[in-house]
Amino acid sequence: MLDKKAVYLTLIVLLLISGGISNVHARTFDKIVAYVNDDVVTQRELDVLVKQRAMELQQVYRFSEREALNEAERQRSELLDRLIRQMLLLEAALTLRITVSETEVEQYIKEFKDKYQIETDEEFKRQLNREGMTLVAFREQSERNLKTEKLVMGRIVPRLQIRDREIQKFFEENRDQLSTKVDKVHLRHIFIAFKPNQADRDAAYENVEKAINEIETGGAKFEEVAKLYDTSKQIGDLIKASTEELSKFPKIFQDSLTNLKIGTLSEPIEGDRGLYVFTVENKTDAMIEFRYFIVPLVPSPSAIQETRKQTDEVYAKLEAGEDFSKLALAHSDDDETRENGGDLGVRSLSELNPKTRAVVEPLASGGYSQPYETELGHHIFKVDERDSPGLTEAEKTQITVILRQQRFQEEWDAYTNKLLENAYVKINLKE
């Protein structure tokens, strides 16, 4: 296994080499891939930089060796661009006569050794020699790095001020990614269902009578007729239910199944999905075996239009100032919430289905939506109260760090773009 300190030092030394510490005479015989004012970038220096990036991808980002080499090679032109910008920053620092003291250089080297846990000067020298670098060369490059760092601190860092409104904007734009920061709303609704009119009911009852006749007089099997009149999965299949399980059925279904004789058909029973017909095949004190099918009660276009008209009338009353809860009590078809004025309780926006959330999310406290149509009917939502969790100081600090990193990259690009505009740069890089 590679020694971690040796790996980290290799990465740094590679970076330092790419920054310009190389033998001048050796560079003369190397292929030049870029001219940068009076300096050059050689093929060897760029290859070293690509190698450094591949090692970084392996050690820090856990790429496989092959993946790291391929990705680093793909980034070759980007790495060259960044190297040219770094060279121009150093040139600008030297032009501006930015200076660093011996004490600053010593502190830089000390922090470097502490960071990579290099305990003695002898160990440090051995590591540098292993990578073909001297302590003098390392000191020289450290001094250049510090000069460049001072230039950046003076020209770029002062532009990294982050205002409170920027933090809040970032928070609002990324709120969905913070599960603990999603708004909660105390929600009410009025639900006006699509209801079949009398003609729709007559048609459904006519179909159910046909189905019953086919079984009772035509000799058709219950499950076969079930599949003709109801396309739902498992409709007509045999169901076994214990007495306890049966007690959870709607009372009207319980009564029908309890009183129904084996082998006979029930009268049509209107339920939430249409007209139900049951037959019992076996029954004991502890268990009942039965089948059923449903003939749907489908609202016709005229019935749907009638529901839309009713919804518009309720909405007009809201607009005229009538109380939402009283209108829900009078008009809502949601049996579970109607008596409580349509109260759905406190819900996180993340709990709502996407379409409902799109309707509810823009509403402020006390606001209500326009009618929202689903396949079952119309909803009108009202937000009684809205709780918007704020940011803690720690979260503000985290966002500030993110924004400063983004701003730094933007300002660094802008500053080095200006340097590029005033520089002579010629690239001979070929894929």
Side-chain angles (χ1 to χ4, degrees), residues 47-48 109 111 135 166 204 225 298 304 307 316 338 396 425:
D47 288 344
V48 166
I109 295 174
E111 290 174 357
L135 181 58
E166 294 174 284
V225 172
V298 181
I304 290 174
T307 302
R338 181 176 55 244
K396 288 181 180 178
V425 176

Side-chain angles (χ1 to χ4, degrees), residues 133-151:
M133 193 176 197
T134 66
L135 181 58
V136 172
F138 186 88
R139 287 179 62 87
E140 290 176 353
Q141 188 58 37
S142 297
E143 182 179 349
R144 294 184 181 187
N145 289 346
L146 284 169
K147 290 178 179 180
T148 303
E149 186 177 299
K150 280 192 174 183
L151 174 66

Side-chain angles (χ1 to χ4, degrees), residues 153-254:
M153 291 293 290
R155 297 300 174 96
I156 297 177
V157 171
R159 302 178 184 180
L160 305 185
Q161 299 301 317
I162 305 298
R163 296 176 173 82
D164 288 343
R165 66 173 179 269
E166 294 174 284
I167 296 173
Q168 188 62 32
K169 180 182 178 184
F170 179 91
F171 171 55
E172 295 297 339
E173 290 175 350
N174 296 276
R175 185 189 289 266
D176 286 351
Q177 300 177 33
L178 307 170
S179 59
T180 61
K181 298 300 179 184
V182 177
D183 281 8
K184 292 183 177 181
V185 291
H186 189 167
L187 200 60
R188 294 181 186 272
H189 82 146
I190 299 170
F191 174 58
I192 302 175
F194 293 132
K195 305 178 192 69
N197 57 29
Q198 191 57 50
D200 300 330
R201 290 179 180 280
D202 291 343
Y205 274 97
E206 184 177 340
N207 282 334
V208 83
E209 289 300 329
K210 287 180 181 178
I212 291 172
N213 286 334
E214 288 180 25
I215 297 169
E216 290 182 335
T217 63
K221 290 185 178 181
F222 187 95
E223 53 269 36
E224 292 176 353
V225 172
K227 291 175 182 177
L228 287 175
Y229 287 88
D230 191 333
T231 57
S232 303
K233 291 182 179 179
Q234 298 182 343
I235 294 298
D237 291 351
L238 186 65
I239 298 172
K240 297 181 180 181
S242 65
T243 304
E244 181 182 354
E245 291 170 333
L246 186 63
S247 67
K248 298 176 182 178
F249 288 21
K251 188 174 186 308
I252 192 170
F253 292 171
Q254 292 181 47

